[in-house]
Amino acid sequence: MSFIDTLIANTIRPEVQADHAYVVPDADGYIKLDAMENPYSLPAHLREELGHRLAAAVLNRYPLPSNATLKHKICTRLGVPDGYDVILGNGSDELISIMATAVAGGARRPVILAPTPGFVMFSRSAMLAGADFVGVPLRADMTLDKATMLAKIAEHKPALVFLAYPNNPTGNLFDPAEMVEIIRAVGDTGIVVVDEAYGPFARTSFMERLPEFENMVVMRTVSKLGLAGIRLGYMAAAPKLLAQFDKVRPPYNINVLTQTAAEFALDHLEALNDQATLLIAAREQLAADLAALPGVTVFPSAANFLLVRLPDADASCARLDADKVMIKNVSKMHGLGGCIRVTVSTPEENAIFLDAIKASLTSH
Ligand SMILES: *Cc1c(COP(=O)(O)O)cnc(C)c1O
């Protein structure tokens, strides 16, 4: 072996050596419907005002690690209950990693549990933190398999349970009564994270129920709302629990530009909420248009994307690729045979997507 290969074998953890970096496909020239981004930018007058704010940002100083102003705006504008605070992450991806790191490591190899198919960062962060990941398959209609969830929780006593509400890549909201049963069953041996990344499109939330469950964390992000580029996630929980996670957080994880842009966006939240309203209407339209096609099944969605089962997913994906429309082919995931996941976009981009699907059905 060469020096560098020996060096890697001697130093890097085996599971890291065996893994690959997170893959983001090159979308140059494509209509990008693969990553649940909001297709709209901020209105021009707001972008200009934001430019002035960013120009005045203090770049030569470290950001204030308390992030007090931004946190206060999040709490007051985004419905965090009185008496609860948030901690901020460089995207909710970082918060997932902070929680996994807080429960695992040292002599402890705990279990992190989540329904599958689910968000890939739950299992990835578990692996990187040195925890065992247990995935519990959803039922064929993408609902929770509550009995198996409860059995696996009793068996493994997971330190962390992730429930995405709505779930990615399926788009549906789990039954809140079943989620509550799970939170109660986990009890004081585990923390249940309700991941509301798609909250702006769901119009329902566990946030106001925080006082009911001391083992619940409610996590959200501004990414899907239209600010994926600034990387900001936040989570709320019982103050004592949040204080533990705050010890794991890198002190300056939210940079000054993100802080400034996020505060500005929260001052103009109605602009983003209006876009979310447009996207919800577009989702309903696109779902109806797809459901009218022969052999196509659209799963219920409370997010800004649709899970769609096609007669021949590979043929449709080939056609979409030829038409320069990027979606996510999830047909190889457990339980998702024949399925793709498509982000809801502008009426124009949705129409191009729909035309490509139609063409793929007739040529198939
Ligand atoms: C997109 C997504 C996130 C990640 O959000 P970031 O804040 O952009 O890191 C978290 N959870 C789920 C379920 C997601 O789909």
PDB file of all heavy atoms in Angstrom, residues 31-39 198 201 224 279 283 286 303-307 325-328 340-346 349-350 353:
ATOM      1  N   ILE A  31     -34.159  21.983 -15.284  1.00  0.00           N
ATOM      2  CA  ILE A  31     -35.207  22.497 -14.407  1.00  0.00           C
ATOM      3  C   ILE A  31     -35.098  21.669 -13.136  1.00  0.00           C
ATOM      4  O   ILE A  31     -35.186  20.446 -13.176  1.00  0.00           O
ATOM      5  CB  ILE A  31     -36.591  22.330 -15.056  1.00  0.00           C
ATOM      6  CG1 ILE A  31     -36.704  23.258 -16.272  1.00  0.00           C
ATOM      7  CG2 ILE A  31     -37.693  22.613 -14.057  1.00  0.00           C
ATOM      8  CD1 ILE A  31     -38.008  23.117 -17.026  1.00  0.00           C
ATOM      9  N   LYS A  32     -34.909  22.337 -12.015  1.00  0.00           N
ATOM     10  CA  LYS A  32     -34.485  21.625 -10.818  1.00  0.00           C
ATOM     11  C   LYS A  32     -35.676  21.307  -9.915  1.00  0.00           C
ATOM     12  O   LYS A  32     -36.144  22.158  -9.154  1.00  0.00           O
ATOM     13  CB  LYS A  32     -33.464  22.501 -10.083  1.00  0.00           C
ATOM     14  CG  LYS A  32     -32.534  21.726  -9.201  1.00  0.00           C
ATOM     15  CD  LYS A  32     -31.353  22.566  -8.756  1.00  0.00           C
ATOM     16  CE  LYS A  32     -30.475  21.795  -7.802  1.00  0.00           C
ATOM     17  NZ  LYS A  32     -31.188  21.144  -6.711  1.00  0.00           N
ATOM     18  N   LEU A  33     -36.158  20.086 -10.015  1.00  0.00           N
ATOM     19  CA  LEU A  33     -37.315  19.669  -9.222  1.00  0.00           C
ATOM     20  C   LEU A  33     -36.938  18.491  -8.321  1.00  0.00           C
ATOM     21  O   LEU A  33     -37.756  17.622  -8.052  1.00  0.00           O
ATOM     22  CB  LEU A  33     -38.477  19.261 -10.155  1.00  0.00           C
ATOM     23  CG  LEU A  33     -38.921  20.294 -11.204  1.00  0.00           C
ATOM     24  CD1 LEU A  33     -40.095  19.754 -12.016  1.00  0.00           C
ATOM     25  CD2 LEU A  33     -39.307  21.621 -10.552  1.00  0.00           C
ATOM     26  N   ASP A  34     -35.679  18.473  -7.874  1.00  0.00           N
ATOM     27  CA  ASP A  34     -35.211  17.304  -7.115  1.00  0.00           C
ATOM     28  C   ASP A  34     -34.960  17.587  -5.635  1.00  0.00           C
ATOM     29  O   ASP A  34     -34.757  16.644  -4.876  1.00  0.00           O
ATOM     30  CB  ASP A  34     -33.921  16.758  -7.735  1.00  0.00           C
ATOM     31  CG  ASP A  34     -32.769  17.746  -7.629  1.00  0.00           C
ATOM     32  OD1 ASP A  34     -33.037  18.977  -7.719  1.00  0.00           O
ATOM     33  OD2 ASP A  34     -31.617  17.321  -7.453  1.00  0.00           O
ATOM     34  N   ALA A  35     -34.924  18.855  -5.236  1.00  0.00           N
ATOM     35  CA  ALA A  35     -34.412  19.137  -3.881  1.00  0.00           C
ATOM     36  C   ALA A  35     -35.353  19.976  -3.019  1.00  0.00           C
ATOM     37  O   ALA A  35     -34.942  20.517  -2.003  1.00  0.00           O
ATOM     38  CB  ALA A  35     -33.050  19.815  -3.974  1.00  0.00           C
ATOM     39  N   MET A  36     -36.630  20.061  -3.410  1.00  0.00           N
ATOM     40  CA  MET A  36     -37.647  20.749  -2.611  1.00  0.00           C
ATOM     41  C   MET A  36     -37.304  22.212  -2.346  1.00  0.00           C
ATOM     42  O   MET A  36     -37.619  22.768  -1.283  1.00  0.00           O
ATOM     43  CB  MET A  36     -37.892  20.014  -1.280  1.00  0.00           C
ATOM     44  CG  MET A  36     -38.733  18.781  -1.446  1.00  0.00           C
ATOM     45  SD  MET A  36     -37.834  17.402  -2.137  1.00  0.00           S
ATOM     46  CE  MET A  36     -37.225  16.658  -0.645  1.00  0.00           C
ATOM     47  N   GLU A  37     -36.630  22.816  -3.317  1.00  0.00           N
ATOM     48  CA  GLU A  37     -36.372  24.253  -3.193  1.00  0.00           C
ATOM     49  C   GLU A  37     -37.598  25.034  -3.635  1.00  0.00           C
ATOM     50  O   GLU A  37     -38.358  24.595  -4.492  1.00  0.00           O
ATOM     51  CB  GLU A  37     -35.165  24.636  -4.057  1.00  0.00           C
ATOM     52  CG  GLU A  37     -33.863  24.062  -3.536  1.00  0.00           C
ATOM     53  CD  GLU A  37     -32.899  23.661  -4.636  1.00  0.00           C
ATOM     54  OE1 GLU A  37     -33.348  23.264  -5.732  1.00  0.00           O
ATOM     55  OE2 GLU A  37     -31.687  23.721  -4.401  1.00  0.00           O
ATOM     56  N   ASN A  38     -37.769  26.224  -3.050  1.00  0.00           N
ATOM     57  CA  ASN A  38     -38.798  27.152  -3.486  1.00  0.00           C
ATOM     58  C   ASN A  38     -38.298  27.799  -4.788  1.00  0.00           C
ATOM     59  O   ASN A  38     -37.189  28.337  -4.820  1.00  0.00           O
ATOM     60  CB  ASN A  38     -38.982  28.190  -2.360  1.00  0.00           C
ATOM     61  CG  ASN A  38     -39.924  29.323  -2.715  1.00  0.00           C
ATOM     62  OD1 ASN A  38     -40.273  29.527  -3.873  1.00  0.00           O
ATOM     63  ND2 ASN A  38     -40.329  30.058  -1.703  1.00  0.00           N
ATOM     64  N   PRO A  39     -39.092  27.753  -5.872  1.00  0.00           N
ATOM     65  CA  PRO A  39     -38.614  28.286  -7.153  1.00  0.00           C
ATOM     66  C   PRO A  39     -38.592  29.822  -7.204  1.00  0.00           C
ATOM     67  O   PRO A  39     -37.982  30.404  -8.106  1.00  0.00           O
ATOM     68  CB  PRO A  39     -39.629  27.748  -8.162  1.00  0.00           C
ATOM     69  CG  PRO A  39     -40.889  27.595  -7.368  1.00  0.00           C
ATOM     70  CD  PRO A  39     -40.454  27.180  -5.986  1.00  0.00           C
ATOM     71  N   TYR A 198     -41.071  20.566   6.424  1.00  0.00           N
ATOM     72  CA  TYR A 198     -42.092  20.977   5.444  1.00  0.00           C
ATOM     73  C   TYR A 198     -43.284  21.656   6.094  1.00  0.00           C
ATOM     74  O   TYR A 198     -44.345  21.794   5.473  1.00  0.00           O
ATOM     75  CB  TYR A 198     -42.523  19.759   4.602  1.00  0.00           C
ATOM     76  CG  TYR A 198     -41.329  19.183   3.885  1.00  0.00           C
ATOM     77  CD1 TYR A 198     -40.610  18.121   4.425  1.00  0.00           C
ATOM     78  CD2 TYR A 198     -40.856  19.776   2.724  1.00  0.00           C
ATOM     79  CE1 TYR A 198     -39.464  17.648   3.816  1.00  0.00           C
ATOM     80  CE2 TYR A 198     -39.718  19.313   2.104  1.00  0.00           C
ATOM     81  CZ  TYR A 198     -39.019  18.254   2.656  1.00  0.00           C
ATOM     82  OH  TYR A 198     -37.882  17.805   2.056  1.00  0.00           O
ATOM     83  N   PHE A 201     -45.858  24.082   4.473  1.00  0.00           N
ATOM     84  CA  PHE A 201     -46.816  23.583   3.481  1.00  0.00           C
ATOM     85  C   PHE A 201     -47.848  22.658   4.123  1.00  0.00           C
ATOM     86  O   PHE A 201     -48.747  22.161   3.440  1.00  0.00           O
ATOM     87  CB  PHE A 201     -46.067  22.836   2.363  1.00  0.00           C
ATOM     88  CG  PHE A 201     -44.923  23.628   1.825  1.00  0.00           C
ATOM     89  CD1 PHE A 201     -43.621  23.378   2.246  1.00  0.00           C
ATOM     90  CD2 PHE A 201     -45.140  24.677   0.938  1.00  0.00           C
ATOM     91  CE1 PHE A 201     -42.562  24.138   1.786  1.00  0.00           C
ATOM     92  CE2 PHE A 201     -44.084  25.443   0.478  1.00  0.00           C
ATOM     93  CZ  PHE A 201     -42.796  25.180   0.904  1.00  0.00           C
ATOM     94  N   LYS A 224     -36.910  24.937   3.042  1.00  0.00           N
ATOM     95  CA  LYS A 224     -37.972  24.618   2.092  1.00  0.00           C
ATOM     96  C   LYS A 224     -38.893  25.814   1.877  1.00  0.00           C
ATOM     97  O   LYS A 224     -39.595  25.908   0.885  1.00  0.00           O
ATOM     98  CB  LYS A 224     -38.752  23.379   2.555  1.00  0.00           C
ATOM     99  CG  LYS A 224     -37.874  22.171   2.962  1.00  0.00           C
ATOM    100  CD  LYS A 224     -36.889  21.747   1.927  1.00  0.00           C
ATOM    101  CE  LYS A 224     -35.838  20.702   2.161  1.00  0.00           C
ATOM    102  NZ  LYS A 224     -35.608  19.910   3.280  1.00  0.00           N
ATOM    103  N   LEU A 279     -47.555  27.729  -3.696  1.00  0.00           N
ATOM    104  CA  LEU A 279     -47.036  26.372  -3.933  1.00  0.00           C
ATOM    105  C   LEU A 279     -48.027  25.307  -3.449  1.00  0.00           C
ATOM    106  O   LEU A 279     -48.130  24.238  -4.062  1.00  0.00           O
ATOM    107  CB  LEU A 279     -45.667  26.206  -3.263  1.00  0.00           C
ATOM    108  CG  LEU A 279     -44.545  27.017  -3.936  1.00  0.00           C
ATOM    109  CD1 LEU A 279     -43.303  27.065  -3.065  1.00  0.00           C
ATOM    110  CD2 LEU A 279     -44.209  26.426  -5.315  1.00  0.00           C
ATOM    111  N   ARG A 283     -49.459  22.545  -5.812  1.00  0.00           N
ATOM    112  CA  ARG A 283     -49.365  21.121  -5.453  1.00  0.00           C
ATOM    113  C   ARG A 283     -50.694  20.417  -5.721  1.00  0.00           C
ATOM    114  O   ARG A 283     -50.732  19.339  -6.316  1.00  0.00           O
ATOM    115  CB  ARG A 283     -49.022  20.999  -3.961  1.00  0.00           C
ATOM    116  CG  ARG A 283     -49.042  19.571  -3.435  1.00  0.00           C
ATOM    117  CD  ARG A 283     -48.820  19.560  -1.923  1.00  0.00           C
ATOM    118  NE  ARG A 283     -50.007  19.968  -1.187  1.00  0.00           N
ATOM    119  CZ  ARG A 283     -49.979  20.507   0.040  1.00  0.00           C
ATOM    120  NH1 ARG A 283     -48.845  20.738   0.661  1.00  0.00           N
ATOM    121  NH2 ARG A 283     -51.111  20.830   0.642  1.00  0.00           N
ATOM    122  N   LEU A 286     -51.177  20.117  -9.535  1.00  0.00           N
ATOM    123  CA  LEU A 286     -50.289  19.116 -10.141  1.00  0.00           C
ATOM    124  C   LEU A 286     -50.720  17.702  -9.729  1.00  0.00           C
ATOM    125  O   LEU A 286     -50.722  16.772 -10.557  1.00  0.00           O
ATOM    126  CB  LEU A 286     -48.830  19.377  -9.724  1.00  0.00           C
ATOM    127  CG  LEU A 286     -47.774  18.452 -10.329  1.00  0.00           C
ATOM    128  CD1 LEU A 286     -47.769  18.544 -11.857  1.00  0.00           C
ATOM    129  CD2 LEU A 286     -46.379  18.782  -9.783  1.00  0.00           C
ATOM    130  N   ALA A 303     -46.590  18.464   1.784  1.00  0.00           N
ATOM    131  CA  ALA A 303     -45.276  19.098   1.638  1.00  0.00           C
ATOM    132  C   ALA A 303     -45.227  19.849   0.306  1.00  0.00           C
ATOM    133  O   ALA A 303     -46.248  20.007  -0.365  1.00  0.00           O
ATOM    134  CB  ALA A 303     -44.189  18.025   1.705  1.00  0.00           C
ATOM    135  N   ASN A 304     -44.052  20.306  -0.092  1.00  0.00           N
ATOM    136  CA  ASN A 304     -43.925  20.991  -1.384  1.00  0.00           C
ATOM    137  C   ASN A 304     -43.377  20.039  -2.451  1.00  0.00           C
ATOM    138  O   ASN A 304     -42.656  20.448  -3.348  1.00  0.00           O
ATOM    139  CB  ASN A 304     -43.048  22.248  -1.267  1.00  0.00           C
ATOM    140  CG  ASN A 304     -41.618  21.916  -0.889  1.00  0.00           C
ATOM    141  OD1 ASN A 304     -41.344  20.851  -0.323  1.00  0.00           O
ATOM    142  ND2 ASN A 304     -40.698  22.824  -1.186  1.00  0.00           N
ATOM    143  N   PHE A 305     -43.701  18.762  -2.283  1.00  0.00           N
ATOM    144  CA  PHE A 305     -43.311  17.777  -3.293  1.00  0.00           C
ATOM    145  C   PHE A 305     -44.377  16.695  -3.344  1.00  0.00           C
ATOM    146  O   PHE A 305     -45.228  16.599  -2.444  1.00  0.00           O
ATOM    147  CB  PHE A 305     -41.933  17.179  -2.975  1.00  0.00           C
ATOM    148  CG  PHE A 305     -41.876  16.401  -1.686  1.00  0.00           C
ATOM    149  CD1 PHE A 305     -42.183  15.047  -1.650  1.00  0.00           C
ATOM    150  CD2 PHE A 305     -41.529  17.023  -0.492  1.00  0.00           C
ATOM    151  CE1 PHE A 305     -42.142  14.327  -0.460  1.00  0.00           C
ATOM    152  CE2 PHE A 305     -41.485  16.304   0.709  1.00  0.00           C
ATOM    153  CZ  PHE A 305     -41.792  14.953   0.715  1.00  0.00           C
ATOM    154  N   LEU A 306     -44.317  15.900  -4.403  1.00  0.00           N
ATOM    155  CA  LEU A 306     -45.262  14.790  -4.557  1.00  0.00           C
ATOM    156  C   LEU A 306     -44.491  13.502  -4.750  1.00  0.00           C
ATOM    157  O   LEU A 306     -43.470  13.478  -5.443  1.00  0.00           O
ATOM    158  CB  LEU A 306     -46.165  15.013  -5.783  1.00  0.00           C
ATOM    159  CG  LEU A 306     -47.140  16.190  -5.733  1.00  0.00           C
ATOM    160  CD1 LEU A 306     -47.801  16.374  -7.097  1.00  0.00           C
ATOM    161  CD2 LEU A 306     -48.209  15.983  -4.657  1.00  0.00           C
ATOM    162  N   LEU A 307     -44.997  12.441  -4.140  1.00  0.00           N
ATOM    163  CA  LEU A 307     -44.513  11.093  -4.416  1.00  0.00           C
ATOM    164  C   LEU A 307     -45.492  10.500  -5.426  1.00  0.00           C
ATOM    165  O   LEU A 307     -46.699  10.486  -5.184  1.00  0.00           O
ATOM    166  CB  LEU A 307     -44.491  10.269  -3.131  1.00  0.00           C
ATOM    167  CG  LEU A 307     -43.995   8.825  -3.280  1.00  0.00           C
ATOM    168  CD1 LEU A 307     -42.483   8.793  -3.544  1.00  0.00           C
ATOM    169  CD2 LEU A 307     -44.310   8.005  -2.020  1.00  0.00           C
ATOM    170  N   VAL A 325     -35.307  17.827 -17.118  1.00  0.00           N
ATOM    171  CA  VAL A 325     -36.067  18.031 -15.882  1.00  0.00           C
ATOM    172  C   VAL A 325     -35.473  17.104 -14.835  1.00  0.00           C
ATOM    173  O   VAL A 325     -35.453  15.888 -15.020  1.00  0.00           O
ATOM    174  CB  VAL A 325     -37.564  17.700 -16.075  1.00  0.00           C
ATOM    175  CG1 VAL A 325     -38.327  17.912 -14.762  1.00  0.00           C
ATOM    176  CG2 VAL A 325     -38.171  18.557 -17.187  1.00  0.00           C
ATOM    177  N   MET A 326     -34.963  17.676 -13.743  1.00  0.00           N
ATOM    178  CA  MET A 326     -34.344  16.850 -12.709  1.00  0.00           C
ATOM    179  C   MET A 326     -35.330  16.578 -11.575  1.00  0.00           C
ATOM    180  O   MET A 326     -35.860  17.504 -10.968  1.00  0.00           O
ATOM    181  CB  MET A 326     -33.088  17.528 -12.166  1.00  0.00           C
ATOM    182  CG  MET A 326     -32.336  16.639 -11.199  1.00  0.00           C
ATOM    183  SD  MET A 326     -30.695  17.258 -10.820  1.00  0.00           S
ATOM    184  CE  MET A 326     -29.842  16.930 -12.347  1.00  0.00           C
ATOM    185  N   ILE A 327     -35.585  15.293 -11.350  1.00  0.00           N
ATOM    186  CA  ILE A 327     -36.427  14.859 -10.231  1.00  0.00           C
ATOM    187  C   ILE A 327     -35.619  13.816  -9.464  1.00  0.00           C
ATOM    188  O   ILE A 327     -34.477  13.540  -9.821  1.00  0.00           O
ATOM    189  CB  ILE A 327     -37.773  14.256 -10.710  1.00  0.00           C
ATOM    190  CG1 ILE A 327     -37.548  13.190 -11.784  1.00  0.00           C
ATOM    191  CG2 ILE A 327     -38.679  15.340 -11.270  1.00  0.00           C
ATOM    192  CD1 ILE A 327     -37.239  11.828 -11.350  1.00  0.00           C
ATOM    193  N   LYS A 328     -36.196  13.225  -8.421  1.00  0.00           N
ATOM    194  CA  LYS A 328     -35.479  12.152  -7.737  1.00  0.00           C
ATOM    195  C   LYS A 328     -36.176  10.822  -7.994  1.00  0.00           C
ATOM    196  O   LYS A 328     -37.364  10.664  -7.708  1.00  0.00           O
ATOM    197  CB  LYS A 328     -35.380  12.432  -6.235  1.00  0.00           C
ATOM    198  CG  LYS A 328     -34.435  11.441  -5.550  1.00  0.00           C
ATOM    199  CD  LYS A 328     -33.971  11.965  -4.203  1.00  0.00           C
ATOM    200  CE  LYS A 328     -33.238  10.903  -3.411  1.00  0.00           C
ATOM    201  NZ  LYS A 328     -31.858  10.705  -3.819  1.00  0.00           N
ATOM    202  N   ILE A 340     -41.308   8.150  -8.179  1.00  0.00           N
ATOM    203  CA  ILE A 340     -40.397   9.293  -8.239  1.00  0.00           C
ATOM    204  C   ILE A 340     -40.891  10.336  -7.228  1.00  0.00           C
ATOM    205  O   ILE A 340     -42.047  10.310  -6.818  1.00  0.00           O
ATOM    206  CB  ILE A 340     -40.328   9.934  -9.638  1.00  0.00           C
ATOM    207  CG1 ILE A 340     -41.703  10.492 -10.057  1.00  0.00           C
ATOM    208  CG2 ILE A 340     -39.823   8.924 -10.666  1.00  0.00           C
ATOM    209  CD1 ILE A 340     -41.642  11.436 -11.236  1.00  0.00           C
ATOM    210  N   ARG A 341     -39.976  11.237  -6.862  1.00  0.00           N
ATOM    211  CA  ARG A 341     -40.345  12.360  -5.994  1.00  0.00           C
ATOM    212  C   ARG A 341     -40.078  13.635  -6.769  1.00  0.00           C
ATOM    213  O   ARG A 341     -38.966  13.829  -7.290  1.00  0.00           O
ATOM    214  CB  ARG A 341     -39.499  12.325  -4.717  1.00  0.00           C
ATOM    215  CG  ARG A 341     -39.917  13.360  -3.665  1.00  0.00           C
ATOM    216  CD  ARG A 341     -38.868  13.497  -2.578  1.00  0.00           C
ATOM    217  NE  ARG A 341     -37.652  14.092  -3.119  1.00  0.00           N
ATOM    218  CZ  ARG A 341     -36.478  14.128  -2.498  1.00  0.00           C
ATOM    219  NH1 ARG A 341     -36.358  13.599  -1.304  1.00  0.00           N
ATOM    220  NH2 ARG A 341     -35.429  14.693  -3.059  1.00  0.00           N
ATOM    221  N   VAL A 342     -41.085  14.478  -6.867  1.00  0.00           N
ATOM    222  CA  VAL A 342     -40.936  15.712  -7.649  1.00  0.00           C
ATOM    223  C   VAL A 342     -41.306  16.923  -6.805  1.00  0.00           C
ATOM    224  O   VAL A 342     -42.326  16.936  -6.116  1.00  0.00           O
ATOM    225  CB  VAL A 342     -41.793  15.660  -8.945  1.00  0.00           C
ATOM    226  CG1 VAL A 342     -43.273  15.465  -8.639  1.00  0.00           C
ATOM    227  CG2 VAL A 342     -41.579  16.905  -9.801  1.00  0.00           C
ATOM    228  N   THR A 343     -40.454  17.940  -6.840  1.00  0.00           N
ATOM    229  CA  THR A 343     -40.727  19.189  -6.129  1.00  0.00           C
ATOM    230  C   THR A 343     -41.790  19.981  -6.884  1.00  0.00           C
ATOM    231  O   THR A 343     -41.730  20.081  -8.109  1.00  0.00           O
ATOM    232  CB  THR A 343     -39.455  20.050  -6.049  1.00  0.00           C
ATOM    233  OG1 THR A 343     -38.399  19.254  -5.523  1.00  0.00           O
ATOM    234  CG2 THR A 343     -39.664  21.270  -5.174  1.00  0.00           C
ATOM    235  N   VAL A 344     -42.740  20.537  -6.161  1.00  0.00           N
ATOM    236  CA  VAL A 344     -43.743  21.411  -6.779  1.00  0.00           C
ATOM    237  C   VAL A 344     -43.091  22.762  -7.051  1.00  0.00           C
ATOM    238  O   VAL A 344     -42.401  23.320  -6.198  1.00  0.00           O
ATOM    239  CB  VAL A 344     -44.967  21.581  -5.854  1.00  0.00           C
ATOM    240  CG1 VAL A 344     -45.955  22.568  -6.453  1.00  0.00           C
ATOM    241  CG2 VAL A 344     -45.615  20.226  -5.591  1.00  0.00           C
ATOM    242  N   SER A 345     -43.298  23.272  -8.269  1.00  0.00           N
ATOM    243  CA  SER A 345     -42.625  24.512  -8.663  1.00  0.00           C
ATOM    244  C   SER A 345     -43.620  25.516  -9.226  1.00  0.00           C
ATOM    245  O   SER A 345     -44.807  25.494  -8.877  1.00  0.00           O
ATOM    246  CB  SER A 345     -41.523  24.154  -9.674  1.00  0.00           C
ATOM    247  OG  SER A 345     -40.774  25.290  -9.991  1.00  0.00           O
ATOM    248  N   THR A 346     -43.149  26.382 -10.108  1.00  0.00           N
ATOM    249  CA  THR A 346     -44.014  27.373 -10.749  1.00  0.00           C
ATOM    250  C   THR A 346     -44.974  26.654 -11.706  1.00  0.00           C
ATOM    251  O   THR A 346     -44.678  25.549 -12.166  1.00  0.00           O
ATOM    252  CB  THR A 346     -43.173  28.358 -11.569  1.00  0.00           C
ATOM    253  OG1 THR A 346     -42.480  27.607 -12.588  1.00  0.00           O
ATOM    254  CG2 THR A 346     -42.160  29.085 -10.710  1.00  0.00           C
ATOM    255  N   GLU A 349     -42.993  25.510 -14.813  1.00  0.00           N
ATOM    256  CA  GLU A 349     -42.123  24.336 -14.658  1.00  0.00           C
ATOM    257  C   GLU A 349     -42.940  23.067 -14.393  1.00  0.00           C
ATOM    258  O   GLU A 349     -42.584  21.989 -14.872  1.00  0.00           O
ATOM    259  CB  GLU A 349     -41.104  24.580 -13.531  1.00  0.00           C
ATOM    260  CG  GLU A 349     -40.096  25.667 -13.903  1.00  0.00           C
ATOM    261  CD  GLU A 349     -38.910  25.765 -12.950  1.00  0.00           C
ATOM    262  OE1 GLU A 349     -38.933  25.140 -11.867  1.00  0.00           O
ATOM    263  OE2 GLU A 349     -37.958  26.480 -13.308  1.00  0.00           O
ATOM    264  N   ASN A 350     -44.035  23.216 -13.666  1.00  0.00           N
ATOM    265  CA  ASN A 350     -44.893  22.044 -13.428  1.00  0.00           C
ATOM    266  C   ASN A 350     -45.458  21.524 -14.748  1.00  0.00           C
ATOM    267  O   ASN A 350     -45.578  20.315 -14.949  1.00  0.00           O
ATOM    268  CB  ASN A 350     -46.039  22.396 -12.480  1.00  0.00           C
ATOM    269  CG  ASN A 350     -45.551  22.750 -11.089  1.00  0.00           C
ATOM    270  OD1 ASN A 350     -44.435  22.391 -10.708  1.00  0.00           O
ATOM    271  ND2 ASN A 350     -46.372  23.463 -10.333  1.00  0.00           N
ATOM    272  N   PHE A 353     -42.835  19.564 -16.618  1.00  0.00           N
ATOM    273  CA  PHE A 353     -42.723  18.242 -15.981  1.00  0.00           C
ATOM    274  C   PHE A 353     -43.885  17.337 -16.412  1.00  0.00           C
ATOM    275  O   PHE A 353     -43.687  16.187 -16.815  1.00  0.00           O
ATOM    276  CB  PHE A 353     -42.700  18.412 -14.450  1.00  0.00           C
ATOM    277  CG  PHE A 353     -42.984  17.149 -13.692  1.00  0.00           C
ATOM    278  CD1 PHE A 353     -42.005  16.168 -13.553  1.00  0.00           C
ATOM    279  CD2 PHE A 353     -44.237  16.923 -13.124  1.00  0.00           C
ATOM    280  CE1 PHE A 353     -42.271  14.981 -12.863  1.00  0.00           C
ATOM    281  CE2 PHE A 353     -44.506  15.741 -12.434  1.00  0.00           C
ATOM    282  CZ  PHE A 353     -43.517  14.775 -12.317  1.00  0.00           C
TER     283      PHE A 353
END
